[in-house]
Amino acid sequence: MARSSTLHTKETSMTCIGLDVGHSAVKMAWRGKNGKIKRKIFPSVAVPAMTITDKEASDQAKKETVTVNGLEYFFGETAVHEVGSIAVTGLHDRWLEMPEFQALVQGAINIVKDDTGVIHSVTAGLPPSIFSDQNLKLRNIISLCTDAEVRVHQEPAGVAMQNRLDESGIMIPDSTGDLGVVAIGRYTTDFMAMLDGRWVQGAAGSARGMSRAANLVMRKLNEQGYKIDYLDADDALWKKSIKYNGANNDVTPVVEIALHVLASEIFDATSNKFGDTGRKMEKILVAGGGAGLMFDGLKKYWPQAVLVEDPRFAVAEGFRRAGEGLWNIRNK
C-alpha cells in the first residue's frame, strides 16, 4: 500500500509538457499537480508591449507579458486585443528567427510553470521540411525559456505517439505499427509514414496548409467584387459565408473548390513521398487544426483514413505522453 502511494506522488509531481507552436495557435498539454491532464490553447500572436491605463486590463496583461532580449511582449489574447485582430505572421520557414516566436514559447512555459511550479521536460516539434535545418535552433530557443530537458521531434510523430501510447506514456498492446500521419496546419500539412513501428526516413515531408485554401478563397472572392483580406477568407472557410455590407453571403461553392484543390495537392505530395509504403498502412491518422474541414476530401483518397480524437491537440498530447513515458522509465 505504501509503495502505491509513493508511485502516485511521484507521477503527480512530474511535469512533462507537450508543446505545439502552430502558426494559428499555441497548444500545450501537461499533467497538473492533482495528476489530471490539462490542456491550454492561445492565439499565436505576440506584439511589443505598450502601456495600458485601465487597471483591470493592465492586471490581465501582466499575466500575458514576457521578456525577450530585454524587450517586453504581449502574447495570446492580450496581444490580439491590443492589435485589434489576429495578426497573420510567421507564414514562412524563418519564423523561428523572430523574437515573437520566442515570446510565444516563453508564454507557454510560464503558463505551465505558474500551475505546477516546476517543469521536468518539454517535448516540441517542427515540420519535416525544416526539421534537419532547424531542430537545434528550436531546442536552443526552448532552453532559453526553461531549465527543463528539451526534446524536438518531427511534428507528425506526436500524432502517432497519441495513437500508440496510453495517457502515462506506455505502449498500448496491439497498437499498429503500420500507419501514416497527415497533420494539417495553417502554414504546412506535414506527413510521415511508419512500418513495423519504425519511421520510414524517405516518407516524411510537408505540403501546403490551410493558408493555401484561404488564399484561393480570397483571390476568387476578390474577383467577384468582394474586397476582403486573408482573415476574412480564413473565416469564410469555416462558415462558408461572408458578412459583407451588412448581409450574410453564401460562398459555399468557392470554399468547396478551394478545399478540393488543397485535398488534391495534399494527396499528391503525400503519395509521392509514401510511394509503395502507402498501400501497406492499416491507418492514416488525420490531425491538425484543418483536419475537420479536410477529412471528407482526404477520405475519398484513403479509405483507411481516421480522424483522430481532438485533432488540434493531437501533436501536443502525443508529445506529452512520450515525454512522460520516457521520464517514468528513467526514474523508476
Side-chain angles (χ1 to χ4, degrees), residues 206-263:
S206 300
R208 294 183 180 184
M210 295 304 297
S211 60
R212 164 66 167 157
N215 280 319
L216 287 172
V217 169
M218 179 176 67
R219 187 179 69 188
K220 190 63 177 177
L221 291 182
N222 282 337
E223 290 174 357
Q224 294 180 7
Y226 294 95
K227 303 304 178 185
I228 64 171
D229 59 20
Y230 173 89
L231 292 173
D232 295 323
D234 187 65
D235 189 54
L237 278 177
W238 297 91
K239 296 179 179 177
K240 296 187 177 180
S241 67
I242 188 167
K243 195 167 187 177
Y244 201 79
N245 290 337
N248 284 317
N249 298 271
D250 180 54
V251 294
T252 299
V254 173
V255 169
E256 288 183 346
I257 290 172
L259 294 178
H260 175 76
V261 169
L262 180 57

Side-chain angles (χ1 to χ4, degrees), residues 54-208:
D54 180 77
K55 185 179 184 307
E56 184 176 344
S58 178
D59 290 343
Q60 177 61 32
K62 288 178 182 178
K63 301 175 184 177
E64 297 181 326
T65 303
V66 296
T67 302
V68 175
N69 298 327
L71 299 176
E72 290 190 333
Y73 287 82
F74 292 148
F75 69 90
E77 296 295 344
T78 295
V80 172
H81 178 76
E82 292 305 316
V83 299
S85 65
I86 298 180
V88 181
T89 60
L91 295 183
H92 50 76
D93 288 342
R94 299 184 66 180
W95 191 33
L96 272 67
E97 298 176 20
M98 300 173 66
E100 289 83 358
F101 181 88
Q102 185 175 334
L104 295 174
V105 173
Q106 187 67 70
I109 296 293
N110 289 357
I111 287 171
V112 178
K113 194 168 184 179
D114 286 346
D115 177 60
T116 63
V118 63
I119 297 172
H120 296 90
S121 74
V122 180
T123 304
L126 286 169
S129 58
I130 62 173
F131 179 79
S132 60
D133 293 332
Q134 299 199 21
N135 72 88
L136 182 58
K137 182 185 292 290
L138 179 58
R139 188 187 304 272
N140 290 338
I141 290 172
I142 298 173
S143 294
L144 289 172
C145 302
T146 177
D147 294 329
E149 180 182 18
V150 178
R151 286 183 295 278
V152 178
H153 297 281
Q154 298 187 61
E155 282 180 350
V159 181
M161 291 167 179
Q162 178 185 244
N163 184 261
R164 305 187 75 218
L165 304 175
D166 68 15
E167 290 189 346
S168 296
I170 298 171
M171 184 67 70
I172 298 172
D174 301 324
S175 61
T176 180
D178 298 326
L179 54 81
V181 175
V182 179
I184 307 164
R186 168 172 275 176
Y187 178 49
T188 59
T189 293
D190 304 311
F191 45 84
M192 296 176 72
M194 173 185 288
L195 289 180
D196 298 323
R198 298 176 61 184
W199 291 112
V200 180
Q201 182 66 31
S206 300
R208 294 183 180 184

Side-chain angles (χ1 to χ4, degrees), residues 242-312:
I242 188 167
K243 195 167 187 177
Y244 201 79
N245 290 337
N248 284 317
N249 298 271
D250 180 54
V251 294
T252 299
V254 173
V255 169
E256 288 183 346
I257 290 172
L259 294 178
H260 175 76
V261 169
L262 180 57
S264 297
E265 291 182 355
I266 290 173
F267 176 72
D268 188 50
T270 305
S271 295
N272 283 337
K273 282 288 189 177
F274 282 0
D276 290 340
T277 303
R279 60 183 173 79
K280 301 176 183 178
M281 298 175 190
E282 292 183 22
K283 293 180 182 179
I284 294 180
L285 307 175
V286 182
L293 278 179
M294 298 301 301
F295 181 73
D296 288 344
L298 295 176
K299 183 76 171 177
K300 295 175 183 177
Y301 294 113
W302 291 305
Q304 72 272 49
V306 177
L307 183 64
V308 303
E309 180 183 354
D310 204 350
R312 203 170 193 192

